[in-house]
Amino acid sequence: MRLIGGATAAMVVLGAFGATAAAAAPGKGPDNAGPRYTAGASGVGDAYFPFAGNGGYDVQHYDLAIRYAPPAPSPAPLSGQFDGVATIDLVATQDLDRFNLDLRGMDVRSVTVNGKAATGIEPPLAGQVVDGAAYWHVQDDAQRSWELTIQPRPKIKAGQAVKLVIEYGGATTRPTDIEDSLYGWVTMRDGAMVASEPEGSMTWYPVSDHQTDKATYSFAITVPAGKVAVANGIQPKPQETADGWTTWFWDAPDQQASYLTTASVGDFDLRPTYYSTSGVPIIDAVDTKLTSTRLTTTNASLGRQVAMIDFFESKFGAYPFVAYGSIVDNDSIAYALETQTRPVYSTQASEGTVAHELAHQWFGNAVSPERWQDIWLNEGWATYATWMWNEHRGIRTAQTAYNNWYAPARNAAYWAFQIGDPGPMGLFAPQVYDKGAATLHALRLEVGDTAFFNAAKLWLERYDDSAGTSEDFQAIYEEVSGKDLDVFFQTWLYDQVKPPATWTVAP
């Protein structure tokens, strides 16, 4: 991630709504072992974001139809108007009495489940029986819990396909993440910058907002004529304009984590498609208001995308998605994000940042961290790949970059930081990036180049379109290298002192 460069009702969350579910689901399973139909969990159990994602189902596809009016010119309030229809295809993984989606700061107007309308109600009290098809929405900012609960009737059987249609919307704002950084649907005067790591997609559509539930996406984004809306993937058909509004169509057929979705709106020059050497279509959208200096930097950096794809494919294997490109916005959220197939850049795209976000398409996007504590696998790899690109370009070797990181004196707090478990407030700490990259360089020295790159390719192959943990990553490297790497990974990910000089230079 992030390379630096509504009415809310405070309600008590009903512990996965278990008590209510039990009261509303009297049917017993085999041998009267308990209710057959139960509530899907209100989160996937991520230690850092316990309410992110949801249990009981697997989303297959999101179709998002959005109509967005940006704010009026200053001094009008910096707030847009958003109206959406989310059509969600999912498959139940258990017998469901009810289930949740994540949705923050938006009003739900209607819900249908397999064509049957549900009734919107106030959140029930613990133990209260809810009759019939219903939905309710709890938004608890203090607990960072924003849960839309849907009770379908008839109930849903495990393995059953479900089609949800949810109409929703409201006034857009500038939401912030746990560190108070802008994320999600960030309202800008000329449109919106949409960058949602770690769990900000819920600010603009109902979603199982965790990377362990990847899905495919399609978008129809309607904006005032003259504005451009850019999302993930490719354009399946040209935009359509009528009555002063233009609808932009995008299709993302690859498995995609929710935090990697974008639908940025602005005054973009949507440039003609060009292609990498291997045939990957590249689609760039560049804000027409960039300063001349920033435009020069951006053009030079984007001009290297083909060479970067060539280089990374030579090291990591084929580019993993249907397309690539960039969204460069004149406005700023103070970081860039590797939104899948089309990273978002604030104010300009610099060469190092472009290399970083491109590398994420393999590391973080094709293979995502199963737990947010494993984010070093994203940021360490993207940073190390940039070191490799700089070496390829003759700027400096990866060994020099490693030495430049290792040599300076740093305080004890720097070395006490555990990149293998940085905590929710440490996801984007410098150590996650720089020590993460150094960990990979040290691993390369430990196992040798052949094993290092063969294991990287096996990691990407085995966990493609899914997610893995640090333990999974270690197991891959032990499998390929034949070495016991317990001491290595303990030292680099968890020990709270500077790693010894054992790994400072190639043997």
Side-chain angles (χ1 to χ4, degrees), residues 142-229:
Q143 295 297 319
R144 298 192 64 82
S145 173
W146 300 281
E147 299 290 331
L148 170 62
T149 301
I150 299 172
Q151 177 174 286
R153 291 295 181 267
K155 300 174 184 180
I156 305 299
K157 295 181 179 179
Q160 183 178 344
V162 177
K163 183 178 289 290
L164 302 176
V165 180
I166 302 171
E167 296 186 17
Y168 65 104
T172 64
T173 58
R174 292 166 66 85
T176 56
D177 66 11
I178 196 170
E179 296 184 83
D180 206 31
S181 294
L182 291 169
Y183 83 152
W185 188 280
V186 181
T187 305
M188 299 294 182
R189 187 63 67 180
D190 67 348
M193 288 186 73
V194 184
S196 299
E197 191 178 22
E199 28 74 88
S201 285
M202 69 174 85
T203 67
W204 60 285
Y205 64 98
V207 56
S208 181
D209 208 355
H210 195 269
Q211 58 275 14
T212 50
D213 192 359
K214 294 185 176 184
T216 59
Y217 285 79
S218 53
F219 308 82
I221 309 162
T222 301
V223 293
K227 296 294 180 182
V228 177

Side-chain angles (χ1 to χ4, degrees), residues 138-353:
V138 173
Q139 301 203 59
D140 187 340
D141 291 348
Q143 295 297 319
R144 298 192 64 82
S145 173
W146 300 281
E147 299 290 331
L148 170 62
T149 301
I150 299 172
Q151 177 174 286
R153 291 295 181 267
K155 300 174 184 180
I156 305 299
K157 295 181 179 179
Q160 183 178 344
V162 177
K163 183 178 289 290
L164 302 176
V165 180
I166 302 171
E167 296 186 17
Y168 65 104
T172 64
T173 58
R174 292 166 66 85
T176 56
D177 66 11
I178 196 170
E179 296 184 83
D180 206 31
S181 294
L182 291 169
Y183 83 152
W185 188 280
V186 181
T187 305
M188 299 294 182
R189 187 63 67 180
D190 67 348
M193 288 186 73
V194 184
S196 299
E197 191 178 22
E199 28 74 88
S201 285
M202 69 174 85
T203 67
W204 60 285
Y205 64 98
V207 56
S208 181
D209 208 355
H210 195 269
Q211 58 275 14
T212 50
D213 192 359
K214 294 185 176 184
T216 59
Y217 285 79
S218 53
F219 308 82
I221 309 162
T222 301
V223 293
K227 296 294 180 182
V228 177
V230 189
N232 311 88
I234 59 173
Q235 287 185 278
K237 62 180 180 177
Q239 63 272 18
E240 298 173 356
T241 300
D243 301 322
W245 294 84
T246 300
T247 301
W248 298 82
F249 303 95
W250 295 89
D251 183 49
D254 301 300
Q255 292 294 306
Q256 181 168 288
S258 54
Y259 78 89
L260 298 171
T261 54
T262 190
S264 291
V265 177
D267 298 322
F268 297 116
D269 171 19
L270 191 62
R271 297 176 172 180
T273 302
Y274 57 106
Y275 296 85
S276 74
T277 304
S278 60
V280 177
I282 303 173
I283 304 168
D284 296 326
V286 178
D287 200 307
T288 60
K289 302 184 300 297
L290 291 188
T291 66
S292 59
T293 299
R294 289 173 171 169
L295 181 60
T296 297
T297 297
T298 293
N299 286 340
S301 303
L302 300 187
R304 297 193 183 278
Q305 288 181 129
V306 169
M308 289 177 182
I309 292 173
D310 289 348
F311 176 68
F312 289 146
E313 285 187 326
S314 74
K315 299 297 183 181
F316 307 135
Y319 177 78
F321 303 123
V322 70
Y324 191 60
S326 300
I327 302 169
V328 187
D329 202 306
N330 184 55
D331 287 309
S332 179
I333 51 175
Y335 57 84
L337 181 66
E338 63 272 17
T339 43
Q340 191 159 303
T341 70
R342 197 144 298 114
V344 173
Y345 301 91
S346 293
T347 70
Q348 70 175 21
S350 63
E351 181 177 337
T353 309

Side-chain angles (χ1 to χ4, degrees), residues 119-143:
T119 301
I121 65 171
E122 291 297 313
L125 299 175
Q128 179 180 350
V129 174
V130 176
D131 294 322
Y135 69 89
W136 57 92
H137 197 186
V138 173
Q139 301 203 59
D140 187 340
D141 291 348
Q143 295 297 319

